[in-house]
Amino acid sequence: MEKRWIMRSVYKAHINENTGTIQTVEEHSKNTADLCRQFAIPVLKNLAYNVGVLHDIGKFQEDFQRRIDGENIKVEHSTCGALVAKKLYPDAAIALMMEYCIAGHHSGIPDGGYKNDTSDMTTLSGRLKRNFEDYSAYKEEIELIEINRNEILSFL
Protein backbone atom coordinates (compact mmCIF):
# COMPACT_ATOMS: atom_id res chain seq x y z
CA MET A 1 0.00 0.00 0.00
CA GLU A 2 1.47 3.33 -1.03
CA LYS A 3 1.41 6.01 1.64
CA ARG A 4 0.51 9.57 0.80
CA TRP A 5 1.51 12.56 2.85
CA ILE A 6 -1.44 13.99 4.73
CA MET A 7 -1.28 17.77 4.49
CA ARG A 8 -1.76 19.35 7.89
CA SER A 9 -1.92 22.97 8.89
CA VAL A 10 -0.23 22.13 12.20
CA TYR A 11 2.52 19.60 12.79
CA LYS A 12 2.26 18.57 16.42
CA ALA A 13 5.23 17.86 18.64
CA HIS A 14 3.46 17.47 21.98
CA ILE A 15 -0.04 17.54 23.40
CA ASN A 16 -0.54 18.42 27.07
CA GLU A 17 -2.68 15.62 28.50
CA ASN A 18 -4.26 17.86 31.12
CA THR A 19 -5.17 20.87 29.00
CA GLY A 20 -5.13 19.51 25.46
CA THR A 21 -2.77 22.33 24.49
CA ILE A 22 -0.78 21.58 21.37
CA GLN A 23 2.86 22.55 20.94
CA THR A 24 3.81 22.56 17.28
CA VAL A 25 7.04 21.07 16.01
CA GLU A 26 8.05 24.56 14.87
CA GLU A 27 7.50 26.06 18.33
CA HIS A 28 9.14 23.13 20.12
CA SER A 29 12.15 23.17 17.80
CA LYS A 30 12.72 26.91 18.19
CA ASN A 31 12.36 26.74 21.98
CA THR A 32 14.78 23.83 22.19
CA ALA A 33 17.22 25.59 19.85
CA ASP A 34 17.15 28.71 22.03
CA LEU A 35 17.92 26.64 25.13
CA CYS A 36 20.72 24.79 23.35
CA ARG A 37 22.29 28.08 22.32
CA GLN A 38 21.86 29.52 25.82
CA PHE A 39 23.77 26.66 27.46
CA ALA A 40 26.52 26.29 24.84
CA ILE A 41 29.99 27.78 25.04
CA PRO A 42 30.36 30.81 22.75
CA VAL A 43 32.11 29.09 19.84
CA LEU A 44 29.43 26.38 19.66
CA LYS A 45 26.31 28.53 20.18
CA ASN A 46 25.13 28.49 16.55
CA LEU A 47 25.96 24.81 16.13
CA ALA A 48 23.99 24.04 19.31
CA TYR A 49 21.08 26.12 18.02
CA ASN A 50 20.98 24.04 14.84
CA VAL A 51 21.09 20.82 16.88
CA GLY A 52 18.01 22.05 18.74
CA VAL A 53 16.25 22.97 15.52
CA LEU A 54 16.94 19.58 13.91
CA HIS A 55 16.37 17.29 16.89
CA ASP A 56 12.67 16.62 16.24
CA ILE A 57 12.24 17.08 12.50
CA GLY A 58 11.29 13.41 12.28
CA LYS A 59 8.00 14.48 13.84
CA PHE A 60 7.06 15.81 10.41
CA GLN A 61 6.54 12.18 9.31
CA GLU A 62 2.93 11.21 8.65
CA ASP A 63 3.15 8.20 10.99
CA PHE A 64 4.43 10.37 13.85
CA GLN A 65 1.47 12.70 13.41
CA ARG A 66 -0.85 9.67 13.51
CA ARG A 67 0.96 8.49 16.68
CA ILE A 68 0.55 11.81 18.43
CA ASP A 69 -3.13 11.78 17.43
CA GLY A 70 -3.52 8.57 19.42
CA GLU A 71 -2.62 5.62 17.20
CA ASN A 72 -0.65 2.95 19.02
CA ILE A 73 2.31 2.82 16.65
CA LYS A 74 6.03 3.15 17.19
CA VAL A 75 7.78 5.79 15.12
CA GLU A 76 11.47 6.61 15.20
CA HIS A 77 11.96 10.34 14.79
CA SER A 78 15.31 11.30 16.31
CA THR A 79 17.53 9.92 13.55
CA CYS A 80 15.99 12.14 10.86
CA GLY A 81 17.70 15.28 12.13
CA ALA A 82 21.00 13.42 12.31
CA LEU A 83 20.61 12.50 8.64
CA VAL A 84 20.08 16.15 7.74
CA ALA A 85 23.15 17.20 9.74
CA LYS A 86 25.23 14.56 7.96
CA LYS A 87 24.04 15.85 4.60
CA LEU A 88 24.38 19.59 5.31
CA TYR A 89 27.74 19.68 7.06
CA PRO A 90 30.63 18.22 5.08
CA ASP A 91 33.12 18.48 7.94
CA ALA A 92 33.02 15.11 9.68
CA ALA A 93 33.80 16.56 13.11
CA ILE A 94 30.95 19.07 12.94
CA ALA A 95 28.48 16.61 11.46
CA LEU A 96 29.36 13.88 13.96
CA MET A 97 28.92 16.16 16.97
CA MET A 98 25.49 17.08 15.69
CA GLU A 99 24.54 13.52 14.67
CA TYR A 100 25.39 12.06 18.08
CA CYS A 101 23.48 14.76 19.97
CA ILE A 102 20.42 14.59 17.74
CA ALA A 103 20.22 10.81 17.39
CA GLY A 104 20.79 10.35 21.12
CA HIS A 105 18.36 12.92 22.45
CA HIS A 106 16.00 10.23 23.79
CA SER A 107 18.07 7.09 24.10
CA GLY A 108 21.45 8.55 25.02
CA ILE A 109 24.54 8.96 22.90
CA PRO A 110 24.68 5.88 20.65
CA ASP A 111 27.70 3.71 19.99
CA GLY A 112 29.21 4.95 16.73
CA GLY A 113 29.47 1.51 15.22
CA TYR A 114 31.19 0.73 11.93
CA LYS A 115 30.62 1.57 8.28
CA ASN A 116 29.43 -1.97 7.58
CA ASP A 117 26.71 -1.86 10.28
CA THR A 118 23.24 -2.62 8.97
CA SER A 119 20.03 -0.64 9.50
CA ASP A 120 18.73 -3.10 12.10
CA MET A 121 21.60 -2.17 14.44
CA THR A 122 21.23 0.51 17.11
CA THR A 123 24.61 2.10 16.44
CA LEU A 124 24.74 5.57 14.91
CA SER A 125 26.09 4.07 11.69
CA GLY A 126 23.26 1.54 11.58
CA ARG A 127 20.53 4.04 12.42
CA LEU A 128 21.71 6.42 9.69
CA LYS A 129 21.05 3.65 7.14
CA ARG A 130 17.36 3.34 8.02
CA ASN A 131 14.59 4.50 5.73
CA PHE A 132 12.11 7.09 6.96
CA GLU A 133 8.92 8.59 5.68
CA ASP A 134 9.10 12.00 4.08
CA TYR A 135 9.83 14.64 6.72
CA SER A 136 10.90 17.40 4.33
CA ALA A 137 8.06 19.66 5.49
CA TYR A 138 10.53 20.84 8.15
CA LYS A 139 12.08 23.05 5.47
CA GLU A 140 8.90 25.12 5.35
CA GLU A 141 8.61 25.47 9.12
CA ILE A 142 12.06 25.98 10.59
CA GLU A 143 15.32 27.60 9.60
CA LEU A 144 18.90 26.76 10.35
CA ILE A 145 21.39 29.51 11.08
CA GLU A 146 24.89 29.99 9.73
CA ILE A 147 27.69 28.32 11.63
CA ASN A 148 31.31 29.39 11.39
CA ARG A 149 32.90 26.09 10.47
CA ASN A 150 36.45 27.48 10.47
CA GLU A 151 36.03 28.84 13.98
CA ILE A 152 34.61 25.55 15.22
CA LEU A 153 37.27 23.43 13.54
CA SER A 154 40.00 25.71 14.90
CA PHE A 155 38.52 25.36 18.37
CA LEU A 156 38.41 21.58 18.08
Side-chain angles (χ1 to χ4, degrees), residues 23 41 47 152:
Q23 183 182 42
I41 61 171
L47 180 141
I152 293 170

Side-chain angles (χ1 to χ4, degrees), residues 9 20 27 45 47 73-74 89 97 115 126 130-131 150:
S9 58
E27 179 184 19
K45 284 192 179 293
L47 180 141
I73 55 176
K74 186 175 180 177
Y89 300 100
M97 284 192 305
K115 290 184 181 202
R130 294 178 184 169
N131 294 314
N150 291 331

Side-chain angles (χ1 to χ4, degrees), residues 42-154:
V43 70
L44 297 179
K45 284 192 179 293
N46 287 357
L47 180 141
Y49 180 89
N50 286 350
V51 166
V53 166
L54 291 173
H55 87 284
D56 268 353
I57 65 169
K59 291 183 176 183
F60 285 99
Q61 295 175 94
E62 175 186 339
D63 278 353
F64 186 88
Q65 292 300 303
R66 289 180 31 232
R67 179 183 186 277
I68 205 158
D69 284 338
E71 277 194 50
N72 187 19
I73 55 176
K74 186 175 180 177
V75 182
E76 180 178 353
H77 72 278
S78 59
T79 303
C80 298
L83 285 164
V84 170
K86 181 180 179 99
K87 180 180 177 183
L88 292 180
Y89 300 100
D91 298 300
I94 291 171
L96 278 173
M97 284 192 305
M98 296 177 77
E99 291 167 39
Y100 277 109
C101 292
I102 295 166
H105 82 267
H106 283 293
S107 57
I109 303 296
D111 179 334
Y114 301 96
K115 290 184 181 202
N116 62 345
D117 286 356
T118 56
S119 64
D120 61 324
M121 300 175 81
T122 60
T123 62
L124 180 63
S125 182
R127 290 172 61 182
L128 291 172
K129 292 177 181 169
R130 294 178 184 169
N131 294 314
F132 296 92
E133 289 182 293
D134 180 21
Y135 53 89
S136 63
Y138 85 90
K139 296 174 186 176
E140 304 298 321
E141 304 253 342
I142 58 176
E143 288 183 41
L144 297 168
I145 60 175
E146 188 77 27
I147 62 171
N148 186 331
R149 57 181 287 281
N150 291 331
E151 184 180 38
I152 293 170
L153 293 173
S154 177

